[in-house]
Amino acid sequence: MSYELKRVFASLPHMERGVAKVLGGDPKGNNFLYTNGKSVIIRNIENPAIADVYTEHPHQVIVAKYAPSGFYIASGDVSGKIRIWDTTQKEHLLKYEYQPFGGKIKDISWTEDSKRIAVVGEGREKFGAVFLWDTGSSVGEIVGHSKIINTVDIKQTRPYRLVTGSDDNCTTFLEGPPFKFKCTMSDHSRFVNCVRFSPDGNRYASAGADGQIFLYDGKSGEKLGTLGGEKAHDGGIYAVSWSADSTQLISASGDKTVKLWDVGSGTAVTTFNLGSDVLDQQLGCLWQKNHLLSVSLSGFINYLDKNNPDRPLRTIKGHTKSIQCLTVHNADGRLNIYSGSHDGHINYWDSESGENDEILGKGHSNLVSKMTVDDAGRLVTCSMDDTVRYTDLSKREYSASDMIKMDMQPKCVSVGPGGLAVTVCIGQLVLLKDKKKLFTLDSLGYEPEAAAVHPGGGTVAVGGADGKVRLYSVQGNTLKDDGKVLDVQGPVTDMSYSKDGAFLAVTDEKKVVTVFTVADGYTEKNEFYGHHAKVVCLSWSPDNEHFATGGMDMMVYVWTVSNPDKRIKLPDTHRLHHVSGLAWLDANTLVTTSHDACVKQWTLKI
């Protein structure tokens, strides 16, 4: 019994309003990279469904950049640590780690020989450092600023020059190596967000929150002019990126546009309009070979189309916040994965191609706690916004009429045949049928945590915080307590019937999974031990002989019902967080999600 990672559908970049997002590009032009939480995400530019995630930082990572050789990546986090790691091996072995200053690292630049690195950010005594990549010894001083430095770039041709931009509205120009302060330019009237040299080294551009882009001579630092006259954009500019031939550049702005500039004439050739919503502000951009990318405040990555500036060639969507639950649905032979996140977003993914989009319209406004698909092909979701929603998966659009308001916050929803559903709310159970509340059971005498409706529809099992499972029968439009109580080891966290209804599996806080045989009057079949911390989720394989569980110990186990010792252990499925959701695509493919906002597929050899 073995396993291997089959696919990763990566998270989007973590975005903050008014904060520039640095995108890194691979020198060969095949990949681009960005950060979210403690992860660095590397994606293939032609097929972004191909992704790799680096998770070795102990703190939130802000920026990552490829070395010009393409063999290493340097990434910097909020604590001021720089990690330099290998890109060629799957393990991404750490080469060096440095702490150039204490505080958030905001930008990184390498010299073209991949030997020196400049880093800038929010230090305490100093805001930047330049050092040799293999020894960490200093090759100059970054001085001349009185506030946080936001951006740095090094000229990629000799003689080397280094330029920085800061919250003190200035840029500084340094000559080297060793890098020495030469002069300060105070042309901007607001924060400087981005400075970038052209690939040929003849010029560099600086862009600021004042909506202006200035051009300077790459060797002397002398001012050459501006782009777009008085103002390049109506909003602040967060990023610029040059074309490979150094004749054009793109700029991304808070005015929700990206502009393509002809540097020689200083005029905008194309203006890409990316929407009218606040979330359409453009906070980052990258020109990589013939791809023009920009990142919206929503986290969406846009592939810009020079021939049709009002509509991107494609937009990569996904999650920026932690994923809380998932389910799988087979529509006409295509298997789709549905995932719900902390901010109420629900995304769907084609399990083969990774093509994804979000459900249209106004959906949940808070964390989606549980989701499942009923036999009518509707996605049934419950959320901390105190609602249960039914979404028709053939339309994939929210509708206000399909929302049911609950009296208490729902924690869990389970569906049965014929439109039947049971929602567990704080202190109550609610029976639903065909998008209507039929019956509410209050004053239970215990706190319900999870429920499972038997595939036959007649029985509902409810697990409580008191470590007991109670059975209820569905009689007409009511739920009746059968008086039967099953004991498990601790407070129930999740439960589910096997697809054929033969078994009921229950997970609890005491690290145990208990399986009951339904036909024998719910006698205990087996207890499964292996987790080192509380078990939080479980899912049955379509073969009814195996099921998977995920725990707070970051482990996923795949168990065999008839033999508790026959199991597959998947350590570190999502290295930084426990698995928050599990689902099976088929008897050999398991899908996992976690708070790293990624969706992963695993091939199991059972």
Side-chain angles (χ1 to χ4, degrees):
M1 295 171 81
S2 64
Y3 68 94
E4 66 176 346
L5 182 60
K6 183 180 179 186
R7 290 193 181 91
V8 179
F9 298 153
S11 66
L12 293 175
H14 170 78
M15 307 302 288
E16 284 176 70
R17 192 166 174 185
V19 179
K21 190 73 190 175
V22 179
L23 294 180
D26 141 32
K28 298 186 184 69
N30 304 327
N31 301 324
F32 65 101
L33 49 80
Y34 54 81
T35 62
N36 182 334
K38 298 176 185 175
S39 308
V40 178
I41 291 114
I42 306 171
R43 293 181 88 156
N44 182 298
I45 204 155
E46 300 290 344
N47 179 6
I50 300 171
D52 190 3
V53 185
Y54 176 79
T55 53
E56 297 297 319
H57 275 273
H59 302 282
Q60 186 190 348
V61 199
I62 304 295
V63 59
K65 287 279 192 73
Y66 271 96
S69 66
F71 295 137
Y72 294 97
I73 289 172
S75 50
D77 65 28
V78 291
S79 74
K81 275 218 168 55
I82 287 270
R83 290 177 75 89
I84 301 167
W85 42 280
D86 175 89
T87 59
T88 55
Q89 311 289 318
K90 210 165 105 205
E91 291 76 36
H92 298 309
L93 299 170
L94 179 69
K95 190 81 178 162
Y96 301 107
E97 183 178 69
Y98 301 114
Q99 177 118 19
F101 49 83
K104 184 192 286 188
I105 289 175
K106 298 193 74 167
D107 202 5
I108 297 173
S109 184
W110 294 74
T111 52
E112 47 69 49
D113 58 6
S114 304
K115 290 200 168 112
R116 299 170 194 82
I117 299 178
V119 298
V120 296
E122 302 179 15
R124 291 186 189 90
E125 290 81 38
K126 56 179 192 173
F127 306 117
V130 207
F131 53 88
L132 290 172
W133 85 293
D134 52 356
T135 62
S137 47
S138 172
V139 281
E141 274 193 294
I142 295 182
V143 292
H145 288 297
S146 57
K147 290 189 178 160
I148 294 164
I149 304 180
N150 297 316
T151 175
V152 63
D153 204 28
I154 296 175
K155 185 157 93 75
Q156 294 297 298
T157 54
R158 289 170 186 269
Y160 291 148
R161 299 287 183 264
L162 186 151
V163 60
T164 58
S166 160
D167 272 7
D168 61 11
N169 308 351
C170 298
T171 59
T172 64
F173 188 76
L174 295 87
E175 295 181 340
F179 290 98
K180 289 192 188 69
F181 173 79
K182 166 103 184 290
C183 56
T184 298
M185 285 55 124
S186 36
D187 295 311
H188 286 283
S189 56
R190 304 227 9 234
F191 299 166
V192 183
N193 288 323
C194 188
V195 290
R196 291 294 180 258
F197 278 97
S198 59
D200 63 12
N202 291 340
R203 304 185 184 90
Y204 72 88
S206 75
D210 53 6
Q212 290 191 290
I213 301 174
F214 294 103
L215 291 175
Y216 301 88
D217 183 282
K219 281 197 190 73
S220 66
E222 189 184 323
K223 186 171 163 188
L224 299 175
T226 59
L227 294 182
E230 275 300 286
K231 252 190 162 186
H233 281 273
D234 295 334
I237 303 168
Y238 291 99
V240 294
S241 185
W242 288 82
S243 63
D245 64 4
S246 303
T247 61
Q248 294 179 308
L249 64 82
I250 52 173
S251 56
S253 165
D255 65 9
K256 311 173 188 71
T257 66
V258 172
K259 291 189 181 180
L260 171 60
W261 299 91
D262 174 69
V263 176
S265 64
T267 54
V269 185
T270 314
T271 300
F272 303 94
N273 297 301
L274 287 144
S276 53
D277 193 73
V278 168
L279 291 173
D280 298 319
Q281 294 183 356
Q282 300 302 302
L283 301 182
C285 61
L286 178 68
W287 192 319
Q288 183 82 322
K289 276 192 177 162
N290 50 1
H291 295 285
L292 304 181
L293 305 188
S294 75
V295 190
S296 308
L297 175 57
S298 59
F300 293 171
I301 301 166
N302 312 295
Y303 282 63
L304 306 175
D305 185 353
K306 290 184 194 171
N307 303 322
N308 182 1
D310 293 332
R311 196 185 163 147
L313 288 167
R314 67 192 295 183
T315 300
I316 304 177
K317 298 183 180 179
H319 292 286
T320 55
K321 300 278 194 307
S322 65
I323 301 176
Q324 301 292 329
C325 54
L326 91 152
T327 190
V328 168
H329 180 239
N330 188 340
D332 311 322
R334 296 296 287 182
L335 284 164
N336 290 303
I337 298 166
Y338 290 82
S339 51
S341 66
H342 194 276
D343 51 5
H345 272 280
I346 295 177
N347 237 55
Y348 55 88
W349 315 74
D350 182 295
S351 64
E352 287 298 315
S353 67
E355 287 293 316
N356 73 83
D357 208 338
E358 52 185 352
I359 293 179
L360 297 172
K362 192 164 167 36
H364 288 297
S365 59
N366 204 331
L367 181 147
V368 184
S369 38
K370 202 79 171 181
M371 55 167 62
T372 181
V373 180
D374 68 8
D375 53 8
R378 296 176 300 207
L379 184 69
V380 187
T381 53
C382 69
S383 158
M384 280 190 176
D385 61 9
D386 299 351
T387 63
V388 171
R389 280 181 176 272
Y390 285 80
T391 309
D392 183 340
L393 292 185
S394 58
K395 298 198 182 91
R396 290 175 169 165
E397 193 167 350
Y398 294 114
S399 112
S401 61
D402 296 341
M403 179 181 90
I404 302 153
K405 191 90 182 105
M406 294 285 152
D407 306 329
M408 305 296 256
Q409 192 180 76
K411 306 178 185 179
C412 166
V413 63
S414 177
V415 296
L420 195 73
V422 171
T423 304
V424 174
C425 299
I426 293 174
Q428 59 176 213
L429 301 173
V430 183
L431 183 66
L432 306 162
K433 184 152 188 191
D434 296 326
K435 302 190 280 194
K436 290 187 182 62
K437 272 195 215 178
L438 287 185
F439 182 71
T440 303
L441 206 55
D442 289 280
S443 51
L444 300 167
Y446 67 96
E447 182 54 54
E449 293 291 345
V453 182
H454 189 275
T459 308
V460 180
V462 179
D466 56 359
K468 296 186 183 335
V469 175
R470 292 166 178 82
L471 299 177
Y472 295 82
S473 49
V474 181
Q475 299 188 349
N477 291 347
T478 62
L479 277 178
K480 186 167 176 303
D481 191 341
D482 285 353
K484 188 162 177 65
V485 178
L486 313 172
D487 285 311
V488 293
Q489 300 290 334
V492 175
T493 53
D494 198 7
M495 56 199 305
S496 176
Y497 281 99
S498 58
K499 307 279 189 269
D500 61 2
F503 302 110
L504 172 67
V506 183
T507 64
D508 65 47
E509 284 188 15
K510 294 276 191 261
K511 313 179 269 214
V512 186
V513 189
T514 314
V515 173
F516 299 94
T517 309
V518 174
D520 290 351
Y522 289 89
T523 54
E524 188 180 299
K525 182 168 175 61
N526 268 320
E527 287 185 333
F528 297 80
Y529 295 89
H531 283 287
H532 303 308
K534 86 171 175 185
V535 192
V536 286
C537 53
L538 102 135
S539 177
W540 278 92
S541 162
D543 68 7
N544 298 306
E545 171 61 14
H546 298 90
F547 62 94
T549 57
M552 295 296 269
D553 53 3
M554 323 268 211
M555 298 280 186
V556 171
Y557 281 99
V558 177
W559 307 93
T560 309
V561 175
S562 53
N563 181 0
D565 298 328
K566 195 175 171 205
R567 63 191 191 188
I568 305 178
K569 176 175 161 184
L570 288 73
D572 287 344
T573 40
H574 296 257
R575 291 199 53 143
L576 299 164
H577 306 278
H578 69 273
V579 169
S580 56
L582 293 163
W584 295 75
L585 285 172
D586 56 51
N588 295 310
T589 315
L590 182 66
V591 187
T592 61
T593 56
S594 176
H595 297 327
D596 60 6
C598 297
V599 177
K600 295 187 178 184
Q601 293 181 36
W602 304 85
T603 304
L604 306 173
K605 291 195 175 63
I606 296 175

